[in-house]
Amino acid sequence: GMVMRAPQVLKLGFQVKDDFKKLARSDPIVGSAFYEVAGIIDLASLHNQIRRTERAMAALSRGAPDLSPAKLGSSSLSKVVSEYMGDEGGVLSKDQTLSDWDKRPLSAHQVRYAGVDAWVLAPLFLSMRSSFEGRGSLPPPFAYAYHGAEVAETGEETAWSEEEEDEQEQ
């Protein structure tokens, strides 16, 4: 629990809100480590912020207002990895994303997918951060607290605004 609550220890994820809620509900002992989590950077939200910044900068360079839609469609982890890191996104097979993750034991393919899914987040974050250099500052990590069925988000900026939740559900 201490590591999960430590804001100085970054926790990277991709559309992780539901994952943390499931983990908090999973088991009375293990789940309690996920009741309060700080230092989270959601790479799906960061990707959307980078895309918004790119659109605004392109419009500014044309001397025109940004007239593109305010909402951005959500992208899969595989597509975002491919965008920032090239073909490495191909290792995240869509078949495993759609497989039954509630069935135990997990298949060898699911275990491999989960490992790659977690491993790719650090190099993806570094690639996203370098692509953002010179365009402003990255959003700060955020925290949340889980109270039964409710999630209370804290911090100056959260990764899950209502707008972003709507985008991720589409």
Side-chain angles (χ1 to χ4, degrees):
M2 286 178 40
V3 170
M4 297 308 288
R5 287 191 303 269
Q8 68 275 22
V9 178
L10 290 182
K11 280 68 108 189
L12 301 175
F14 195 90
Q15 299 175 345
V16 294
K17 181 179 185 181
D18 290 334
D19 295 337
F20 282 128
K21 286 196 293 189
K22 283 180 188 176
L23 287 165
R25 289 186 215 144
S26 67
D27 177 91
I29 296 170
V30 175
S32 65
F34 297 94
Y35 286 173
E36 292 182 38
V37 181
I40 305 166
I41 296 180
D42 188 300
L43 299 182
S45 297
L46 179 58
H47 172 65
N48 284 338
Q49 180 177 350
I50 291 170
R51 288 173 55 200
R52 282 187 195 99
T53 301
E54 287 170 347
R55 285 190 331 200
M57 290 177 71
L60 185 62
S61 71
R62 293 188 309 269
D66 181 7
L67 300 176
S68 54
K71 288 190 173 185
L72 300 172
S74 64
S75 295
S76 69
L77 176 59
S78 181
K79 286 181 183 177
V80 174
V81 169
S82 292
E83 182 176 332
Y84 289 92
M85 299 170 61
D87 284 339
E88 293 178 47
V91 298
L92 296 169
S93 165
K94 187 78 169 171
D95 335 340
Q96 295 312 310
T97 305
L98 302 175
S99 64
D100 184 0
W101 286 86
D102 291 327
K103 184 179 176 188
R104 295 295 187 259
L106 296 176
S107 72
H109 292 293
Q110 287 174 310
V111 171
R112 181 181 179 278
Y113 178 91
V116 171
D117 182 297
W119 171 84
V120 78
L121 296 176
L124 176 60
F125 173 67
L126 295 174
S127 180
M128 293 171 87
R129 186 176 69 182
S130 70
S131 79
F132 202 73
E133 285 178 8
R135 300 182 194 187
S137 60
L138 292 174
F142 66 96
Y144 88 91
Y146 173 78
H147 303 285
E150 298 297 316
V151 174
E153 298 166 19
T154 61
E156 293 184 25
E157 194 167 320
T158 65
W160 297 302
S161 66
E162 288 180 28
E163 175 185 299
E164 287 171 330
E165 277 190 36
D166 291 342
E167 289 171 16
Q168 291 178 3
E169 289 173 7
Q170 292 176 0

mmCIF file with all atom_site columns, all heavy atoms in Angstrom, residues 71-86:
data_model
loop_
_atom_site.group_PDB
_atom_site.id
_atom_site.type_symbol
_atom_site.label_atom_id
_atom_site.label_alt_id
_atom_site.label_comp_id
_atom_site.label_asym_id
_atom_site.label_entity_id
_atom_site.label_seq_id
_atom_site.pdbx_PDB_ins_code
_atom_site.Cartn_x
_atom_site.Cartn_y
_atom_site.Cartn_z
_atom_site.occupancy
_atom_site.B_iso_or_equiv
_atom_site.pdbx_formal_charge
_atom_site.auth_seq_id
_atom_site.auth_comp_id
_atom_site.auth_asym_id
_atom_site.auth_atom_id
_atom_site.pdbx_PDB_model_num
ATOM 1   N N   . LYS A 1 71 ? -14.071 16.888 -28.967 1.00 0.00 ? 71 LYS A N   1
ATOM 2   C CA  . LYS A 1 71 ? -13.847 15.533 -28.465 1.00 0.00 ? 71 LYS A CA  1
ATOM 3   C C   . LYS A 1 71 ? -12.962 14.753 -29.428 1.00 0.00 ? 71 LYS A C   1
ATOM 4   O O   . LYS A 1 71 ? -13.127 14.835 -30.631 1.00 0.00 ? 71 LYS A O   1
ATOM 5   C CB  . LYS A 1 71 ? -15.173 14.791 -28.289 1.00 0.00 ? 71 LYS A CB  1
ATOM 6   C CG  . LYS A 1 71 ? -15.972 15.291 -27.123 1.00 0.00 ? 71 LYS A CG  1
ATOM 7   C CD  . LYS A 1 71 ? -17.128 14.375 -26.864 1.00 0.00 ? 71 LYS A CD  1
ATOM 8   C CE  . LYS A 1 71 ? -17.836 14.785 -25.588 1.00 0.00 ? 71 LYS A CE  1
ATOM 9   N NZ  . LYS A 1 71 ? -18.884 13.850 -25.244 1.00 0.00 ? 71 LYS A NZ  1
ATOM 10  N N   . LEU A 1 72 ? -12.064 14.001 -28.858 1.00 0.00 ? 72 LEU A N   1
ATOM 11  C CA  . LEU A 1 72 ? -11.206 13.126 -29.635 1.00 0.00 ? 72 LEU A CA  1
ATOM 12  C C   . LEU A 1 72 ? -11.667 11.694 -29.415 1.00 0.00 ? 72 LEU A C   1
ATOM 13  O O   . LEU A 1 72 ? -12.020 11.327 -28.304 1.00 0.00 ? 72 LEU A O   1
ATOM 14  C CB  . LEU A 1 72 ? -9.749  13.253 -29.157 1.00 0.00 ? 72 LEU A CB  1
ATOM 15  C CG  . LEU A 1 72 ? -9.108  14.625 -29.264 1.00 0.00 ? 72 LEU A CG  1
ATOM 16  C CD1 . LEU A 1 72 ? -7.755  14.632 -28.585 1.00 0.00 ? 72 LEU A CD1 1
ATOM 17  C CD2 . LEU A 1 72 ? -8.968  15.018 -30.720 1.00 0.00 ? 72 LEU A CD2 1
ATOM 18  N N   . GLY A 1 73 ? -11.635 10.905 -30.450 1.00 0.00 ? 73 GLY A N   1
ATOM 19  C CA  . GLY A 1 73 ? -11.957 9.487  -30.279 1.00 0.00 ? 73 GLY A CA  1
ATOM 20  C C   . GLY A 1 73 ? -10.849 8.809  -29.487 1.00 0.00 ? 73 GLY A C   1
ATOM 21  O O   . GLY A 1 73 ? -9.708  9.246  -29.493 1.00 0.00 ? 73 GLY A O   1
ATOM 22  N N   . SER A 1 74 ? -11.190 7.761  -28.778 1.00 0.00 ? 74 SER A N   1
ATOM 23  C CA  . SER A 1 74 ? -10.167 7.067  -28.009 1.00 0.00 ? 74 SER A CA  1
ATOM 24  C C   . SER A 1 74 ? -9.351  6.175  -28.939 1.00 0.00 ? 74 SER A C   1
ATOM 25  O O   . SER A 1 74 ? -9.819  5.742  -29.977 1.00 0.00 ? 74 SER A O   1
ATOM 26  C CB  . SER A 1 74 ? -10.793 6.246  -26.888 1.00 0.00 ? 74 SER A CB  1
ATOM 27  O OG  . SER A 1 74 ? -11.596 5.227  -27.419 1.00 0.00 ? 74 SER A OG  1
ATOM 28  N N   . SER A 1 75 ? -8.118  5.947  -28.554 1.00 0.00 ? 75 SER A N   1
ATOM 29  C CA  . SER A 1 75 ? -7.220  5.085  -29.311 1.00 0.00 ? 75 SER A CA  1
ATOM 30  C C   . SER A 1 75 ? -6.840  3.901  -28.442 1.00 0.00 ? 75 SER A C   1
ATOM 31  O O   . SER A 1 75 ? -6.719  4.029  -27.229 1.00 0.00 ? 75 SER A O   1
ATOM 32  C CB  . SER A 1 75 ? -5.953  5.850  -29.697 1.00 0.00 ? 75 SER A CB  1
ATOM 33  O OG  . SER A 1 75 ? -6.248  6.903  -30.571 1.00 0.00 ? 75 SER A OG  1
ATOM 34  N N   . SER A 1 76 ? -6.605  2.779  -29.069 1.00 0.00 ? 76 SER A N   1
ATOM 35  C CA  . SER A 1 76 ? -6.165  1.603  -28.320 1.00 0.00 ? 76 SER A CA  1
ATOM 36  C C   . SER A 1 76 ? -4.695  1.762  -27.948 1.00 0.00 ? 76 SER A C   1
ATOM 37  O O   . SER A 1 76 ? -3.960  2.537  -28.578 1.00 0.00 ? 76 SER A O   1
ATOM 38  C CB  . SER A 1 76 ? -6.347  0.352  -29.166 1.00 0.00 ? 76 SER A CB  1
ATOM 39  O OG  . SER A 1 76 ? -5.419  0.354  -30.246 1.00 0.00 ? 76 SER A OG  1
ATOM 40  N N   . LEU A 1 77 ? -4.268  1.024  -26.957 1.00 0.00 ? 77 LEU A N   1
ATOM 41  C CA  . LEU A 1 77 ? -2.866  1.038  -26.567 1.00 0.00 ? 77 LEU A CA  1
ATOM 42  C C   . LEU A 1 77 ? -1.998  0.635  -27.750 1.00 0.00 ? 77 LEU A C   1
ATOM 43  O O   . LEU A 1 77 ? -0.963  1.259  -28.009 1.00 0.00 ? 77 LEU A O   1
ATOM 44  C CB  . LEU A 1 77 ? -2.631  0.108  -25.376 1.00 0.00 ? 77 LEU A CB  1
ATOM 45  C CG  . LEU A 1 77 ? -1.174  -0.039 -24.917 1.00 0.00 ? 77 LEU A CG  1
ATOM 46  C CD1 . LEU A 1 77 ? -0.571  1.307  -24.526 1.00 0.00 ? 77 LEU A CD1 1
ATOM 47  C CD2 . LEU A 1 77 ? -1.093  -1.024 -23.757 1.00 0.00 ? 77 LEU A CD2 1
ATOM 48  N N   . SER A 1 78 ? -2.408  -0.353 -28.490 1.00 0.00 ? 78 SER A N   1
ATOM 49  C CA  . SER A 1 78 ? -1.639  -0.813 -29.641 1.00 0.00 ? 78 SER A CA  1
ATOM 50  C C   . SER A 1 78 ? -1.435  0.303  -30.664 1.00 0.00 ? 78 SER A C   1
ATOM 51  O O   . SER A 1 78 ? -0.327  0.505  -31.170 1.00 0.00 ? 78 SER A O   1
ATOM 52  C CB  . SER A 1 78 ? -2.349  -2.001 -30.293 1.00 0.00 ? 78 SER A CB  1
ATOM 53  O OG  . SER A 1 78 ? -1.607  -2.472 -31.385 1.00 0.00 ? 78 SER A OG  1
ATOM 54  N N   . LYS A 1 79 ? -2.490  1.067  -30.954 1.00 0.00 ? 79 LYS A N   1
ATOM 55  C CA  . LYS A 1 79 ? -2.377  2.170  -31.925 1.00 0.00 ? 79 LYS A CA  1
ATOM 56  C C   . LYS A 1 79 ? -1.468  3.278  -31.399 1.00 0.00 ? 79 LYS A C   1
ATOM 57  O O   . LYS A 1 79 ? -0.673  3.847  -32.144 1.00 0.00 ? 79 LYS A O   1
ATOM 58  C CB  . LYS A 1 79 ? -3.758  2.743  -32.244 1.00 0.00 ? 79 LYS A CB  1
ATOM 59  C CG  . LYS A 1 79 ? -4.578  1.848  -33.128 1.00 0.00 ? 79 LYS A CG  1
ATOM 60  C CD  . LYS A 1 79 ? -5.929  2.469  -33.424 1.00 0.00 ? 79 LYS A CD  1
ATOM 61  C CE  . LYS A 1 79 ? -6.766  1.520  -34.253 1.00 0.00 ? 79 LYS A CE  1
ATOM 62  N NZ  . LYS A 1 79 ? -8.109  2.038  -34.501 1.00 0.00 ? 79 LYS A NZ  1
ATOM 63  N N   . VAL A 1 80 ? -1.582  3.598  -30.114 1.00 0.00 ? 80 VAL A N   1
ATOM 64  C CA  . VAL A 1 80 ? -0.747  4.658  -29.538 1.00 0.00 ? 80 VAL A CA  1
ATOM 65  C C   . VAL A 1 80 ? 0.719   4.219  -29.523 1.00 0.00 ? 80 VAL A C   1
ATOM 66  O O   . VAL A 1 80 ? 1.607   5.003  -29.866 1.00 0.00 ? 80 VAL A O   1
ATOM 67  C CB  . VAL A 1 80 ? -1.247  5.052  -28.130 1.00 0.00 ? 80 VAL A CB  1
ATOM 68  C CG1 . VAL A 1 80 ? -0.307  6.043  -27.467 1.00 0.00 ? 80 VAL A CG1 1
ATOM 69  C CG2 . VAL A 1 80 ? -2.651  5.646  -28.222 1.00 0.00 ? 80 VAL A CG2 1
ATOM 70  N N   . VAL A 1 81 ? 0.970   2.967  -29.174 1.00 0.00 ? 81 VAL A N   1
ATOM 71  C CA  . VAL A 1 81 ? 2.348   2.453  -29.201 1.00 0.00 ? 81 VAL A CA  1
ATOM 72  C C   . VAL A 1 81 ? 2.895   2.539  -30.620 1.00 0.00 ? 81 VAL A C   1
ATOM 73  O O   . VAL A 1 81 ? 4.028   2.985  -30.835 1.00 0.00 ? 81 VAL A O   1
ATOM 74  C CB  . VAL A 1 81 ? 2.422   1.011  -28.650 1.00 0.00 ? 81 VAL A CB  1
ATOM 75  C CG1 . VAL A 1 81 ? 3.780   0.381  -28.928 1.00 0.00 ? 81 VAL A CG1 1
ATOM 76  C CG2 . VAL A 1 81 ? 2.152   1.008  -27.149 1.00 0.00 ? 81 VAL A CG2 1
ATOM 77  N N   . SER A 1 82 ? 2.109   2.133  -31.614 1.00 0.00 ? 82 SER A N   1
ATOM 78  C CA  . SER A 1 82 ? 2.558   2.204  -33.008 1.00 0.00 ? 82 SER A CA  1
ATOM 79  C C   . SER A 1 82 ? 2.855   3.642  -33.422 1.00 0.00 ? 82 SER A C   1
ATOM 80  O O   . SER A 1 82 ? 3.833   3.901  -34.116 1.00 0.00 ? 82 SER A O   1
ATOM 81  C CB  . SER A 1 82 ? 1.501   1.615  -33.944 1.00 0.00 ? 82 SER A CB  1
ATOM 82  O OG  . SER A 1 82 ? 1.390   0.234  -33.748 1.00 0.00 ? 82 SER A OG  1
ATOM 83  N N   . GLU A 1 83 ? 2.024   4.569  -32.979 1.00 0.00 ? 83 GLU A N   1
ATOM 84  C CA  . GLU A 1 83 ? 2.209   5.972  -33.344 1.00 0.00 ? 83 GLU A CA  1
ATOM 85  C C   . GLU A 1 83 ? 3.522   6.539  -32.802 1.00 0.00 ? 83 GLU A C   1
ATOM 86  O O   . GLU A 1 83 ? 4.219   7.280  -33.487 1.00 0.00 ? 83 GLU A O   1
ATOM 87  C CB  . GLU A 1 83 ? 1.030   6.805  -32.822 1.00 0.00 ? 83 GLU A CB  1
ATOM 88  C CG  . GLU A 1 83 ? 1.096   8.264  -33.192 1.00 0.00 ? 83 GLU A CG  1
ATOM 89  C CD  . GLU A 1 83 ? -0.126  9.032  -32.737 1.00 0.00 ? 83 GLU A CD  1
ATOM 90  O OE1 . GLU A 1 83 ? -1.224  8.454  -32.625 1.00 0.00 ? 83 GLU A OE1 1
ATOM 91  O OE2 . GLU A 1 83 ? 0.026   10.248 -32.467 1.00 0.00 ? 83 GLU A OE2 1
ATOM 92  N N   . TYR A 1 84 ? 3.853   6.204  -31.569 1.00 0.00 ? 84 TYR A N   1
ATOM 93  C CA  . TYR A 1 84 ? 5.040   6.786  -30.927 1.00 0.00 ? 84 TYR A CA  1
ATOM 94  C C   . TYR A 1 84 ? 6.293   5.928  -31.061 1.00 0.00 ? 84 TYR A C   1
ATOM 95  O O   . TYR A 1 84 ? 7.396   6.443  -30.974 1.00 0.00 ? 84 TYR A O   1
ATOM 96  C CB  . TYR A 1 84 ? 4.781   7.039  -29.436 1.00 0.00 ? 84 TYR A CB  1
ATOM 97  C CG  . TYR A 1 84 ? 3.832   8.172  -29.214 1.00 0.00 ? 84 TYR A CG  1
ATOM 98  C CD1 . TYR A 1 84 ? 2.471   7.940  -29.090 1.00 0.00 ? 84 TYR A CD1 1
ATOM 99  C CD2 . TYR A 1 84 ? 4.276   9.485  -29.142 1.00 0.00 ? 84 TYR A CD2 1
ATOM 100 C CE1 . TYR A 1 84 ? 1.580   8.974  -28.897 1.00 0.00 ? 84 TYR A CE1 1
ATOM 101 C CE2 . TYR A 1 84 ? 3.399   10.531 -28.955 1.00 0.00 ? 84 TYR A CE2 1
ATOM 102 C CZ  . TYR A 1 84 ? 2.048   10.265 -28.835 1.00 0.00 ? 84 TYR A CZ  1
ATOM 103 O OH  . TYR A 1 84 ? 1.167   11.300 -28.653 1.00 0.00 ? 84 TYR A OH  1
ATOM 104 N N   . MET A 1 85 ? 6.119   4.605  -31.255 1.00 0.00 ? 85 MET A N   1
ATOM 105 C CA  . MET A 1 85 ? 7.273   3.721  -31.210 1.00 0.00 ? 85 MET A CA  1
ATOM 106 C C   . MET A 1 85 ? 7.418   2.853  -32.451 1.00 0.00 ? 85 MET A C   1
ATOM 107 O O   . MET A 1 85 ? 8.269   1.978  -32.495 1.00 0.00 ? 85 MET A O   1
ATOM 108 C CB  . MET A 1 85 ? 7.180   2.827  -29.959 1.00 0.00 ? 85 MET A CB  1
ATOM 109 C CG  . MET A 1 85 ? 7.166   3.631  -28.672 1.00 0.00 ? 85 MET A CG  1
ATOM 110 S SD  . MET A 1 85 ? 6.785   2.653  -27.210 1.00 0.00 ? 85 MET A SD  1
ATOM 111 C CE  . MET A 1 85 ? 8.109   1.482  -27.207 1.00 0.00 ? 85 MET A CE  1
ATOM 112 N N   . GLY A 1 86 ? 6.568   3.036  -33.435 1.00 0.00 ? 86 GLY A N   1
ATOM 113 C CA  . GLY A 1 86 ? 6.666   2.240  -34.648 1.00 0.00 ? 86 GLY A CA  1
ATOM 114 C C   . GLY A 1 86 ? 5.983   0.891  -34.524 1.00 0.00 ? 86 GLY A C   1
ATOM 115 O O   . GLY A 1 86 ? 4.999   0.750  -33.808 1.00 0.00 ? 86 GLY A O   1
#
